Amino acid sequence: MMVIMQEAATEEQVARVVARVEEVGASAHVSVGERVTVIGVLGDREELTALPLEAMPGVERVVAILKPYKLVSREFRPVDTVVEVGGVRLGGGHFCLIAGPCSVESPEQVLAAARAVKEAGGHMLRGGAYKPRTSPYAFQGLGLDGLRMLAAAREETGLPIVTELMDPRDLDDVYEYADVIQVGARNMQNFQLLAEVGRRAKPVLLKRGLSATVEEWLMAAEYVVKEGNRRVILCERGIRTFETATRNTLDLGAVAVVKLASHLPVIVDPSHATGRPELVLPLSLAAVAAGADGVLVETHPNPEHALCDGPQSLPTSAFAEYAARTRELAAWCGKTLG
Ligand code: PEP
Ligand code: MN
């Protein structure tokens, strides 16, 4: 439930409400807005309903959250969540450009990509060391060696690393090297994995499942936040539809819907959504216009020789121009870069 405080409520009155709900074993999450303070309360429904919170000094009203997801809902926390990683901010008006190769292939390849991303004003480096491939015969990633190559690229460029964790058995290795833990589309409903990353402190980039509804996606984020990790970044990466002109169908409507329904930041991956490099710029611009807090883009120094997703990757030689256009629109829309 939500406890909405009066405009004139004092900090002491807020503290008293928090103490009262905690007495019955519930948790309170305070959001201080420009005008009013809202306290999101999670706990036993019957016990909470029995509490006379509405009679407490400073309380305006108490409302129930009817959505199946609570902690990630906008009602629970009206203020945008801003995720901070290594000096870069994402969400709440901060826009991030995250880019890099689909998979880490060699120290030279990842460094070349990282330098291009850095020079173009990108904010984070992406790259997979553990790859979720449809075919078991396709390149599966370099694993721990790949993580080390990413860390070397971070060492040189200062760019925080985003990389995918597929299997809880790789948790310690991935946490040793990554700054942001990606949970891929195929693992969006791997509830044990979600709970594991929820118990750890690093931010989680949660991709939307291939055929997940917005509600299922937000419920997946709820699994992470419920364990205590509030730093979740949602990523729309296209969904399966009847349309075959693009690899998936980019659902920008979902971005606008999620911005209303949740306080979590939302970014867009136009590379996996379209599978076509010539569509990456127009759909990035559309993503910015739809309210996205960032983009996640694949770029490779030599796409024709890429071991994974070459056909959809922007060549690094074209990345600066792409980044400039995207950043320009983001700034025009009033976003702060990084
Ligand atoms: C990726 O980002 O490389 C990836 C595999 O993405 P998705 O999980 O969206 O398919
Ligand atoms: Mn890829």
Side-chain angles (χ1 to χ4, degrees), residues 120-145:
H123 302 100
M124 294 189 223
L125 176 69
R126 64 144 289 149
Y130 301 89
K131 294 304 304 174
R133 303 304 301 275
T134 302
S135 164
Y137 305 114
F139 175 61
Q140 304 286 309
L142 296 179
L144 186 54
D145 286 341

Side-chain angles (χ1 to χ4, degrees), residues 4 54 60 73 81 83 102 152 161 171 207 223 239 259 307:
I4 296 148
E54 232 152 27
E60 174 72 35
S73 73
T81 288
V83 175
C102 178
I161 303 297
L171 204 95
K207 290 211 162 184
Y223 266 91
I239 49 171
K259 293 297 293 178
L307 296 179

Side-chain angles (χ1 to χ4, degrees), residues 102-103 126 131 247 272 298 308-309 312:
C102 178
S103 54
R126 64 144 289 149
K131 294 304 304 174
R247 182 175 175 184
H272 291 91
E298 286 186 344
C308 182
D309 284 349
Q312 72 193 26

